Amino acid sequence: MRHRYSVFFLPLHILADFFCLNAAFVLAYNVKFGSVSAVAEPPYATLWLVFNLVWLVIAIILKPYNFPRQLFKIDHLLKKQAMVIGVHVAAIAVYWVFTQAYYYSRDHLFYTYILFFLLGAAYRIGGLLFLREYRARGYNNRRYVVVGYGKLSKTITRFYDIHPEMGFRFCGFFDHSSSENRLALKGGYEDLATYIRDNQIDCVYCCLPYIDNTYLRQIVDNADDLDYQVKLLVDFRGFLSRGTSVEYHDFLPVLNLSSQILEDFRVNALKRAFDILFSLGVIVLGSPIFVAVALATRLSSKGPIFYAQERVGREGIPFTIYKFRSMYVNSEKAGPSLSQGLQDNRITPWGRFMRRTRLDELPQFFNVLKGDMSVVGPRPERQYFIDQIVEIAPEYRDLLKVKPGITSIGQVKFGYAANVDEMVKRLRFDLLYPERRSFGLDIWIIVQTVRVMMQGRGQ
């Protein structure tokens, strides 16, 4: 049976809220009056009944339990819960004034809503954590296919690969077969309907840059008969921003992109100001650490204290990056090569410690002050390796839209890469940054980086 357990989620959610509401009402009565013996007697019996009826009406009208999986997150759940409780408070206030029931205890009402929110939040958080783990293990999944093969179509599969807790299982690409995509396809357009029926596909993502309108119409027309959802993927990346708005001319939606430049300016100005202040703080307050690391580097092995190398920055512009030297001199005399991890015999014993704690990266704060780098951003690479990465993953070019950084999502989640294949794997994390960059995300990445440094888990 298809999704045999999913049908229980909605009634369980509703029943759980009614249990929390009634438990909160009774517990609040006990807190206020020291006993629950009279809670089911007038006048509180009437208020108790009104509480439940109002919540039922709100649930029917506002439908607070309808969440797509992509929005099934703690913040969305708690915001919706708080909003619905606010509506309930307003309705009870109207009832109170209309019936002139001023004999009800304000303290009781206050305690009821506080307990209701806490109980509801507790079961929502617990249920969400359970569902995430349950879906990450392969249960309660939604099967999906992608119609139209290209860069955009691989973006949606990468997103669900990174978020297995959402419970989406990829079942294949469908498109016209060619020499470039033949090995990646599950089938062509003529095979799609049969595959959907035989494999009980729940969702079909259609990539508008790669699909003809005629086939799109067929997919939409078949959706009711084969019981699947159709979702459109349109590649607006590169010119849409959070400042973009939608204007409606009668029934015609029009995208307003005029706030793009202003929004980009605000983000970049705030980020640059933070980079300068943060880097100055690290350099000034951490100067004793800089001196100690420099002395240890100089005394631990022959060679210079600093290591300089050309890297590729924003818009493909090369710059010189600085590090504390962690390898023996002339380690790359045979040509460019990546570190093979902490067991690489080119790394000095002191260098291994610096790499585990990321202390070798400290001189890059001077790169940040110069404007070549940012505190947070995808790690810069050498042109020699970029050429190899682009052959495998052309989307790497998206990282060149932002300044490279000292630390990144890829550095936190993956670490250093020992070969081009690992660089491509790390890429799937770093590609999240250009589209989602924000001050809050930067702070989160910095905190995670400090944690890695303190635990000595750098590779």
Side-chain angles (χ1 to χ4, degrees), residues 6 72 141 188 211 256 329 384-385 393 418:
S6 295
F72 202 66
N141 281 337
I211 184 173
N256 177 17
V329 176
Y384 175 83
F385 295 111

Side-chain angles (χ1 to χ4, degrees), residues 270-327:
L270 177 62
K271 187 173 179 64
R272 182 59 182 154
F274 173 78
D275 284 344
I276 293 173
L277 293 175
F278 188 85
S279 298
L280 285 174
V282 171
I283 292 170
V284 173
L285 298 178
S287 55
I289 298 176
F290 276 76
V291 173
V293 174
L295 286 174
T297 303
R298 183 66 184 89
L299 297 174
S300 62
S301 63
K302 294 181 179 180
I305 295 173
F306 298 103
Y307 173 70
Q309 189 180 73
E310 184 179 276
R311 298 288 178 95
V312 176
R314 187 177 184 182
E315 305 299 338
I317 300 173
F319 70 97
T320 301
I321 193 173
Y322 300 101
K323 293 185 177 185
F324 284 118
R325 180 178 55 82
S326 60
M327 289 186 175

Side-chain angles (χ1 to χ4, degrees), residues 334-348:
S337 62
L338 292 167
S339 170
Q340 300 304 307
L342 296 177
Q343 303 307 315
D344 192 328
N345 57 16
R346 298 175 301 166
I347 302 176
T348 67

